[in-house]
Amino acid sequence: MAVKAKHQRLVLVVIALVAILGAGALAAWALRSQASYFYVPSEIAAKPPEPDRAVRLGGMVERGSLKTEADGVTIAFVVGDGKARVPVRFKGITPSLFVEGSGVVAEGRMGADGTFNADNLLAKHDERYVPREMKDMTAAQARETVKETQ
Amino acid sequence: MHGFANPARFLRIARWLTPLLLLSGIVLSAGSLAWGLWRAPAESLQGETVRILFIHVPTAWLGMAGWSAIAVASLVELVWRHPLAGIAARASALPGAVYTAMCLISGSLWGRPAWGTWWVWDGRLTSMLVLLFLYFGYMALAQASENAGQSRVAAIFGLVGAVNIPIIHYSVLWWNSLHQPPSISVGNSAMAPDFLIPLLVATVGFSLIFGGVVLTRMRTILADAQAEARLRRKAQATEGQA
């Protein structure tokens, strides 16, 4: 009899766990667009936000696109995700990890001319950790080196 | 497994295992942290701030592992009524919460120079903060019970809270987040060995300390229960005489 009660408890707990995990997965699935911290350029291109709505735009700063304007404090660059590109303008101090070819999250509003006017920039670090000595290699080269030396 | 149900047997093993875990853990952690602080190279983009990694990642892993331990122990407590399981779950809560808090603080310190902000409400950071609050809730529930290490409500809470663990892990994959995706997966690493090796050693060291602290706290809970039982017997004996 003792064994039976134990099995009954086990089955009950497992059923409850499966139900809870299912509910959690459903909630996470329902949140998949809302819980994202930013939109990528292809989402902005497919469904442009209203001009006055504050949104975050995230992607890679395209190489060679970063320019400082005549006033010396306004910068302009292009954020891309491989499918779409959005020009961005920002006036202010950039975080130290903000460089061309790296990830960025810009907070601001979409302008009428299709330019994203950022009020704030956050630099996004990726999952690769490369020593400074390997800095001059391109990302692909560095990845190769890391792979070879492992 | 029920061989360990006997607290006397558990205490005999824990007596020599506790200092062993704590000592080896402290040696490994201190060694790897010193290595990470002075010998590891600066990272190409982050520069010197990469050294926060050697505290941030092991504490994040143990914050999550701590709750996983609570969940497994709660399952054993609920289904098999193992007398030590509940005590192990209670004992894991405080060190788990401390590690989670250390993970949040070290991450915040890293975020300011790297991202340009102390805190953002993205999926990873929010779910990790939820984990800290789950720990607080669990400790409050476990304390509210009369009998140390035997509270069914706390055990159920420990199981339900386990839902958050996969959410923390997958938050950076399911949703666009400011936090980077995992650098290390089974058999794969996007991290140069200069960083990876001290990081792995630090993780082992922090885990050993965690194990030692859990054993110490389990012994404390058992000793507490024993002292209380003795006092109760004494009180009953004097009542009988009067």
Side-chain angles (χ1 to χ4, degrees):
Chain A
M1 279 311 275
V3 174
K4 217 179 151 204
K6 188 156 72 183
H7 286 180
Q8 208 172 22
R9 287 201 297 268
L10 181 61
V11 168
L12 269 178
V13 168
V14 167
I15 290 173
L17 264 185
V18 167
I20 292 162
L21 281 174
L26 278 178
W29 181 248
L31 275 171
R32 70 197 180 284
S33 53
Q34 275 86 354
S36 281
Y37 189 65
F38 53 81
Y39 295 111
V40 293
S42 49
E43 288 169 327
I44 298 260
K47 229 170 77 186
E50 301 96 83
D52 283 334
R53 216 183 117 213
V55 290
R56 296 194 195 95
L57 164 73
M60 301 303 267
V61 182
E62 278 190 9
R63 283 180 195 282
S65 71
L66 183 60
K67 283 177 188 72
T68 308
E69 290 187 358
D71 62 358
V73 286
T74 306
I75 55 167
F77 54 95
V78 175
V79 171
D81 64 347
K83 286 175 230 141
R85 337 170 44 239
V86 176
V88 179
R89 286 177 59 163
F90 172 69
K91 188 173 174 179
I93 299 164
T94 60
S96 54
L97 254 67
F98 174 80
V99 285
E100 286 185 349
S102 188
V104 69
V105 176
E107 300 177 318
R109 286 166 179 77
M110 211 55 207
D113 58 345
T115 304
F116 189 85
N117 297 308
D119 310 316
N120 193 20
L121 284 188
L122 297 174
K124 189 167 152 49
H125 192 263
D126 64 11
E127 71 274 22
R128 293 191 306 270
Y129 282 69
V130 183
R132 195 159 263 172
E133 290 73 42
M134 291 199 242
K135 181 168 89 165
D136 295 331
M137 304 179 196
T138 65
Q141 277 174 328
R143 228 170 307 163
E144 280 301 304
T145 315
V146 167
K147 222 172 259 166
E148 279 162 20
T149 49
Q150 262 166 16
Chain B
M1 190 169 60
H2 274 267
F4 291 100
N6 180 355
R9 189 160 170 199
F10 163 78
L11 284 174
R12 255 203 317 278
I13 297 170
R15 198 160 297 142
W16 58 265
L17 193 56
T18 309
L20 189 72
L21 288 178
L22 284 176
L23 264 178
S24 54
I26 288 169
V27 168
L28 283 183
S29 308
S32 57
L33 288 185
W35 184 278
L37 206 51
W38 286 295
R39 297 297 302 273
E43 210 266 345
S44 65
L45 277 174
Q46 303 164 36
E48 304 292 338
T49 55
V50 71
R51 302 178 198 291
I52 295 173
L53 173 86
F54 304 113
I55 288 179
H56 181 69
V57 173
T59 52
W61 140 251
L62 279 160
M64 291 162 74
W67 196 280
S68 308
I70 290 178
V72 171
S74 299
L75 180 75
V76 175
E77 181 191 355
L78 282 176
V79 175
W80 287 278
R81 301 273 156 87
H82 194 294
L84 282 177
I87 294 173
R90 306 302 171 272
S92 305
L94 183 68
V98 169
Y99 276 132
T100 306
M102 281 170 71
C103 166
L104 289 167
I105 293 166
S106 60
S108 184
L109 291 176
W110 181 83
R112 184 64 192 85
W115 292 337
T117 178
W118 298 103
W119 183 264
V120 290
W121 293 101
D122 85 339
R124 173 57 70 83
L125 278 66
T126 308
S127 56
M128 204 64 192
L129 186 66
V130 167
L131 178 66
L132 183 65
F133 290 143
L134 285 177
Y135 272 118
F136 290 158
Y138 180 85
M139 287 190 284
L141 272 180
Q143 293 241 305
S145 84
E146 286 273 299
N147 197 343
Q150 310 262 331
S151 158
R152 199 167 300 172
V153 184
I156 292 171
F157 186 77
L159 272 179
V160 173
V163 175
N164 194 32
I165 298 298
I167 293 180
I168 294 175
H169 180 77
Y170 287 106
S171 57
V172 289
L173 305 171
W174 287 341
W175 307 309
N176 297 330
S177 60
L178 189 60
H179 193 285
Q180 59 262 38
S183 300
I184 310 162
S185 51
V186 178
N188 213 341
S189 163
M191 192 178 279
D194 294 321
F195 305 117
L196 183 64
I197 292 163
L199 177 61
L200 292 181
V201 177
T203 306
V204 172
F206 277 51
S207 307
L208 290 172
I209 294 177
F210 181 86
V213 171
V214 169
L215 284 186
T216 309
R217 289 175 54 79
M218 286 178 73
R219 289 166 70 187
T220 314
I221 295 173
L222 281 171
D224 242 11
Q226 219 171 22
E228 203 166 304
R230 201 170 293 163
L231 279 177
R232 200 173 300 138
R233 269 201 307 276
K234 226 177 188 175
Q236 272 166 356
T238 43
E239 244 170 62
Q241 279 168 4

